[in-house]
Amino acid sequence: MKVAKFGGSSVADHAMLEQVASIIESDPDRKFIVVSAPGKRYDEDEKVTDMFIQLGEQFNSGQDYEVTLFKISQRFQAITDQLGLSDDIVARIENESRRLLRETTNTTHLTDGLKAMGEDSLARILSAYLNKRGTQATYVNPKDAGIIVNSEPGGAQILEKSYEEIHKLTERSGVVVIPGFFGYTETGVLTTFPRGGSDITGSIVAAGVQADLYENFTDVSSVYCVNPKIVDQPHEIHTLTYKEMRELSYAGFTVFHDEALIPAFQKNIPVCIKSTHDPGAEGTMIVSNKDDLSQQVVGIASDEGFSSIYVRKYLMNREIGFGQRLLGILADMDISFEHAPSGIDDMSVIIRRDHIKGDKEERLKNRIKNELNADTVDVIHGLAMVMLVGEGMSERLHVASKATKAFADADVRINMINEGSSEVSMMFGIDENKVDQAVRSLYREFFLEA
């Protein structure tokens, strides 16, 4: 029994939906299908979810939203016309959007309701199309599927009690089509997962029905060991562990949201990343454990947009609770930290740059200076994080020496090293404008010369 999730690029137009239907019908074990909203058909195109978000923003600010609603309707009309489906689905999209705009007084709930419309509508279309082709299929709303979440709009998390309810889906006959990206609170309020949350829905459903495999169909045939926009034709990764995938996702890999696989990981369900364009390709398997640990580094990830808060205070190491109070100031100002390397008299806290926009940076510096009596407080922008990932890295020799050689060969200065805090990764902080040359040099060192 398999759960298959199809991303936005896989359901962008009628031709892709025909391919999706063929993939579903080619394997009777693909019983549970999770879909995203239609994505871009070409580079300059708009994602349907973005159009729904724009619709809500225009309504909330008192702007005319009719053109946007018309564009959304036309996008779905083009799909249903080409697939030979009834106009009822498109009429429902327009009517339900207007109902949400008219009746939803809570702005946050309105935003979530509109964001979910793309996935919900596409699931209805796919279900209808499968039935038209002679494949028994049923659209199941996340509420009826038992996807119960907490009440954090835009950042919902699944409740443990959901899995027992979701397992009841196995009693249904035929193909079950479920919209991704959202669930319902215990009081019945629609609430969305973080962006990219259809992957989370797929993982949740796979865990709930205790699937043998969770297939995630996207526009790439496998995960590459490095960003193909930086390195031409990089090596494919055929097997990853959950830990490796999560580290790579956190550090910039865009295949998965870094929280997406947690439900599958907790239930020990293997995941396979496959291409909708080439469904017969091997893909990349993501598993709990793998037998072959001979490769030092399986992937190199990079991400930009970081800043470092540098704090210096003489005899800091003797001041019990200094780090706790520093991080407490960040928490009080709603700033999460990524890394916190420290020395005897110095401590740096790495954060996402967009967490200290506007005058927030100056307020943060003043609080640290005044409340902690720090000698020096500086904020350094323009940092990027480059991560080497590989299972068992904490026990390997020469990884750090080879990495620093690669940085030196690329004429890249290392601003920070975070080694040992993770068993499967090693993190380096460098200047943002040096990322591409650093990644290429690391790729040569670990994948070509090796």
Side-chain angles (χ1 to χ4, degrees):
M1 184 171 58
K2 299 177 181 178
V3 172
K5 180 263 176 181
F6 293 90
S9 62
S10 299
V11 297
D13 58 23
H14 76 279
M16 291 304 302
L17 280 170
E18 289 172 353
Q19 174 72 352
V20 166
S22 296
I23 292 171
I24 295 168
E25 293 168 344
S26 69
D27 188 344
D29 287 338
R30 291 184 179 123
K31 180 174 173 60
F32 304 98
I33 309 300
V34 175
V35 292
S36 296
K40 291 185 177 183
R41 295 161 293 184
Y42 44 85
D43 288 344
E44 296 78 22
D45 198 15
E46 292 181 274
K47 295 180 179 180
V48 164
T49 300
D50 290 338
M51 289 194 283
F52 273 114
I53 291 172
Q54 183 182 27
L55 177 67
E57 291 173 345
Q58 289 171 338
F59 175 81
N60 289 328
S61 61
Q63 300 178 53
D64 180 30
Y65 57 83
E66 291 295 338
V67 172
T68 301
L69 183 55
F70 178 76
K71 286 168 59 179
I72 292 170
S73 298
Q74 288 298 105
R75 180 73 181 272
F76 283 106
Q77 188 73 61
I79 293 174
T80 55
D81 284 350
Q82 292 290 338
L83 296 180
L85 299 177
S86 166
D87 289 341
D88 292 348
I89 296 175
V90 178
R92 182 192 177 280
I93 293 169
E94 183 171 339
N95 293 336
E96 182 65 11
S97 296
R98 292 189 186 281
R99 186 194 67 78
L100 286 170
L101 295 173
R102 183 176 62 251
E103 298 180 4
T104 310
T105 56
N106 184 301
T107 301
T108 303
H109 292 165
L110 173 62
T111 300
D112 269 8
L114 290 172
K115 285 195 298 185
M117 281 288 292
E119 276 79 3
D120 189 71
S121 302
L122 199 284
R124 293 173 186 271
I125 288 172
L126 179 59
S127 175
Y129 180 56
L130 286 169
N131 279 293
K132 181 175 181 291
R133 289 169 61 113
T135 298
Q136 181 187 357
T138 306
Y139 157 85
V140 179
N141 184 273
K143 180 187 288 186
D144 298 325
I147 300 176
I148 309 167
V149 299
N150 65 5
S151 55
E152 185 179 347
Q157 294 187 19
I158 193 73
L159 300 185
E160 187 64 30
K161 64 171 66 175
S162 297
Y163 294 114
E164 185 175 344
E165 293 299 314
I166 294 169
H167 191 263
K168 295 176 183 177
L169 292 172
T170 58
E171 300 169 6
R172 293 176 178 259
S173 59
V175 175
V176 175
V177 184
I178 304 168
F181 193 30
F182 67 100
Y184 286 83
T185 67
E186 293 180 283
T187 57
V189 177
L190 185 154
T191 308
T192 60
F193 295 113
R195 194 70 188 264
S198 292
D199 290 328
I200 300 175
T201 301
S203 185
I204 288 168
V205 173
V209 301
Q210 298 174 18
D212 299 310
L213 180 67
Y214 168 33
E215 296 177 312
N216 193 292
F217 285 87
T218 180
D219 54 1
V220 296
S221 58
S222 65
V223 176
Y224 296 104
C225 67
V226 69
N227 187 341
K229 293 181 180 179
I230 299 176
V231 175
D232 290 333
Q233 297 182 322
H235 291 300
E236 295 181 354
I237 305 175
H238 296 298
T239 305
L240 280 169
T241 65
Y242 288 113
K243 288 181 181 178
E244 289 170 337
M245 188 70 229
R246 181 157 160 73
E247 293 278 358
L248 289 169
S249 298
Y250 161 77
F253 267 46
T254 56
V255 176
F256 278 112
H257 185 285
D258 65 338
E259 298 176 7
L261 294 184
I262 291 176
F265 167 70
Q266 291 173 334
K267 304 294 183 180
N268 199 28
I269 295 168
V271 178
C272 187
I273 299 172
K274 298 179 74 69
S275 170
T276 311
H277 302 285
D278 187 13
E282 179 180 354
T284 299
M285 287 294 298
I286 305 172
V287 296
S288 296
N289 300 289
K290 60 183 180 181
D291 297 326
D292 184 6
L293 299 177
S294 60
Q295 194 169 355
Q296 286 185 320
V297 173
V298 298
I300 304 167
S302 59
D303 200 8
E304 302 175 14
F306 293 92
S307 297
S308 174
I309 304 165
Y310 171 75
V311 182
R312 178 177 176 81
K313 184 177 183 181
Y314 183 59
L315 298 180
M316 180 191 295
N317 65 315
R318 295 190 184 181
E319 193 170 328
I320 297 174
F322 184 90
Q324 181 182 19
R325 295 200 304 278
L326 173 58
L327 297 179
I329 292 174
L330 268 66
D332 187 51
M333 296 184 68
D334 198 28
I335 302 171
S336 62
F337 77 98
E338 308 292 326
H339 310 279
S342 63
I344 297 174
D345 298 322
D346 312 80
M347 185 172 180
S348 294
V349 182
I350 310 300
I351 63 172
R352 295 278 179 178
R353 182 168 55 215
D354 58 6
H355 287 185
I356 50 172
K357 291 179 179 178
D359 66 345
K360 197 171 185 178
E361 176 181 330
E362 198 60 33
R363 289 190 286 114
L364 173 62
K365 290 168 64 176
N366 288 336
R367 284 195 62 177
I368 295 172
K369 184 85 172 177
N370 297 330
E371 295 178 30
L372 302 181
N373 295 316
D375 300 324
T376 303
V377 182
D378 287 323
V379 178
I380 303 166
H381 298 295
L383 290 178
M385 296 293 134
V386 178
M387 180 183 284
L388 303 179
V389 174
E391 197 74 41
M393 183 171 290
S394 61
E395 300 176 3
R396 298 184 185 277
L397 299 175
H398 310 305
V399 176
S401 62
K402 291 174 71 173
T404 53
K405 175 183 178 297
F407 283 114
D409 290 345
D411 194 29
V412 175
R413 182 173 66 89
I414 300 172
N415 297 324
M416 183 205 78
I417 300 178
N418 191 354
E419 179 186 4
S421 58
S422 169
E423 296 179 348
V424 299
S425 68
M426 188 179 299
M427 181 81 77
F428 300 87
I430 64 172
D431 293 339
E432 280 183 337
N433 58 4
K434 300 278 190 176
V435 168
D436 287 4
Q437 64 200 70
V439 169
R440 292 189 189 103
S441 186
L442 288 165
Y443 179 76
R444 285 193 297 270
E445 183 69 33
F446 287 99
F447 290 93
L448 299 184
E449 296 182 12

